[in-house]
């Protein structure tokens, strides 16, 4: 069976911003609340959520919302067309590799009427990003984002802002590591697993430690070869299989497909030797709504109405 192409757009860049994100998330007093802003969203070919943004007053341009990316990214073609000035280089930790990449200065990044000043964004090939850019944690870290997959909207709210109350909502408390939210109350077929919410990844990805334990418990598990392609175009061989049951907090999902590989983020987070996975958009779309509150370290999952 020929290998399929699975684009995964997790971006992690090692800069001092990572430490700033972690300290900001720990603040006990949130900023004054403002009215949440709702944005109509679209989807790219991988069904990842995209939203319109403005760059230095021009736009709108379509950027992927990526809860697994430390830094926002812009396509090289768009940066060239806007004549953005060079801003040096940065080390980019992708799904597959670690590379030194060029950055450009976004003097004003506008989203939902909010302007974020001066972001030095890596400029990468649009064919590898899958969109005109990526919105990372540097533009979302102090907010709550609510991805409503049924209504096709993205809501940006202050941390602690009230959210619609629904009896089918499950709240899971997370930890913060390099700005990303890490869930530790999770299991796959009774195997404890650490989960990272990654809305920029097309597929849910598990590490080799998880694959080994599951294959040992279920000797009849079948794996199909594929490959992961990160935002730099680097490729990594992977194997896809279905698992019977995934539990996250009080949620149970059945028949979840996972691509298993020694992806770089697991090493970056120090998780290469214990079961872990990146929860990609394919699994997140199983829910009606997913709310990610970076400041309060809470993830809220709204179950589908037929569950």
């Amino acid at each position: 069976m020929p290998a399929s192409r699975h684009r995964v757009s997790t971006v992690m860049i090692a800069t001092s911003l990572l430490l700033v994100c972690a300290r900001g998330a720990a603040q006990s007093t949130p900023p004054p609340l403002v009215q949440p802003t709702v944005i109509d969203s679209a989807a790219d070919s991988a069904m990842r959520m995209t939203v319109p943004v403005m760059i230095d007053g021009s736009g709108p341009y379509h950027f992927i919302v990526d809860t697994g990316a430390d830094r926002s990214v812009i396509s090289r073609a768009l940066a060239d067309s806007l004549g953005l000035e060079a801003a040096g280089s940065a080390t980019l930790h992708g799904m597959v590799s670690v590379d030194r990449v060029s950055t450009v200065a976004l003097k004003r990044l506008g989203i939902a009427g909010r302007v974020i000043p001066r972001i030095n964004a890596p400029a990468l090939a649009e064919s590898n990003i899958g969109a005109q850019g990526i919105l990372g944690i540097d533009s979302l870290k102090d907010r709550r984002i609510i991805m409503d997959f049924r209504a096709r909207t993205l809501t940006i709210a202050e941390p602690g802002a009230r959210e619609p109350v629904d009896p089918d909502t499950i709240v899971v408390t997370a930890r913060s590591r390099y700005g990303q939210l890490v869930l530790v109350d999770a299991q796959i077929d009774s195997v404890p697993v650490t989960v990272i919410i990654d809305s920029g990844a097309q597929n849910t990805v598990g590490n080799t430690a998880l694959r080994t334990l599951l294959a040992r418990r279920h000797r009849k598990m079948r794996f199909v070869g594929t490959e992961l392609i990160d935002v730099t175009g680097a490729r990594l061989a992977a194997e896809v299989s279905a698992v019977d049951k995934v539990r996250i907090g009080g949620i149970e999902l059945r028949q979840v497909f996972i691509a298993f590989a020694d992806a770089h983020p697991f090493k970056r987070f120090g998780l290469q030797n214990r079961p872990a996975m990146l929860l990609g958009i394919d699994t997140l779309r199983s829910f009606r709504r997913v709310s990610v509150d970076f400041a309060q370290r809470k993830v809220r999952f709204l179950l589908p109405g037929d569950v």
Side-chain angles (χ1 to χ4, degrees):
M1 181 175 178
S4 59
R5 291 169 60 87
H6 293 267
R7 292 196 177 278
V8 185
S9 72
T10 296
V11 181
M12 294 183 291
I13 300 177
T15 69
S16 60
L17 176 65
L18 299 178
L19 299 178
V20 174
C21 290
R23 287 196 296 268
Q27 293 178 353
S28 59
T29 304
L33 299 183
V34 297
Q35 187 68 22
T37 303
V38 180
I39 312 168
D40 289 332
S41 72
D44 71 343
S45 59
M47 295 306 292
R48 296 171 297 184
M49 183 168 279
T50 66
V51 295
V53 304
M54 304 292 289
I55 298 175
D56 298 346
S58 298
Y61 307 105
H62 294 287
F63 276 41
I64 294 166
V65 178
D66 192 345
T67 60
D70 293 329
R71 290 267 291 273
S72 297
V73 171
I74 189 172
S75 76
R76 188 174 297 114
L78 179 56
D80 290 343
S81 69
L82 294 174
L84 301 181
E85 64 182 30
S89 61
T91 300
L92 185 146
H93 293 260
M95 180 63 67
V96 179
S97 61
V98 181
D99 297 278
R100 198 72 183 168
V101 297
S102 299
T103 68
V104 294
L106 280 59
K107 297 178 182 178
R108 290 172 297 149
L109 176 64
I111 174 172
R114 175 172 172 249
V115 176
I116 305 165
R118 187 70 187 195
I119 289 180
N120 293 341
L124 305 175
E126 186 169 324
S127 58
N128 294 326
I129 298 174
Q132 292 175 298
I134 294 172
L135 276 181
I137 296 174
D138 55 350
S139 57
L140 301 170
K141 67 179 185 295
D142 58 347
R143 296 292 185 272
R144 175 190 294 175
I145 63 169
I146 304 168
M147 296 173 284
D148 192 319
F149 298 112
R150 181 165 297 182
R152 298 182 180 180
T153 60
L154 175 79
T155 301
I156 299 180
E158 297 283 347
R162 290 184 179 86
E163 193 170 328
V165 177
D166 193 295
D168 291 330
T169 298
I170 305 295
V171 181
V172 181
T173 301
R175 297 175 181 174
S176 180
R177 186 175 298 183
Y178 296 115
Q180 275 91 3
L181 294 187
V182 180
L183 310 181
V184 293
D185 182 15
Q187 291 182 341
I188 298 180
D189 291 346
S190 300
V191 174
V193 61
T194 300
V195 176
I196 300 170
I197 304 295
D198 191 350
S199 64
Q202 175 182 347
N203 298 92
T204 294
V205 180
N207 64 0
T208 301
L210 177 60
R211 181 200 184 284
T212 300
L213 282 176
L214 291 176
R216 188 179 300 159
R217 291 192 177 202
H218 308 285
R219 297 187 181 278
K220 294 184 179 181
M221 279 187 74
R222 299 182 63 183
F223 296 90
V224 178
T226 185
E227 64 180 0
L228 307 180
I229 307 174
D230 74 6
V231 290
T232 66
R235 297 166 181 259
L236 177 66
E239 295 177 298
V240 175
S241 184
V243 298
D244 290 334
K245 183 173 64 176
V246 174
R247 183 190 65 78
I248 301 174
I251 307 163
E252 278 195 4
L253 301 174
R254 299 283 184 170
Q255 285 294 301
V256 176
F257 284 88
I258 302 176
F260 296 94
D262 282 320
H264 177 70
F266 298 120
K267 180 179 180 181
R268 171 72 175 156
F269 287 114
L271 296 172
Q272 68 270 39
N273 295 323
R274 66 186 193 189
M277 74 174 182
L278 307 173
L279 196 67
I281 197 66
D282 57 341
T283 305
L284 291 174
R285 282 188 174 274
S286 302
F287 302 96
R288 286 173 54 192
R289 187 170 68 231
V290 177
S291 167
V292 181
D293 192 326
F294 291 100
Q296 296 197 345
R297 301 176 187 176
K298 303 280 187 183
V299 181
R300 294 170 173 82
F301 298 93
L302 177 59
L303 302 175
D306 55 353
V307 173

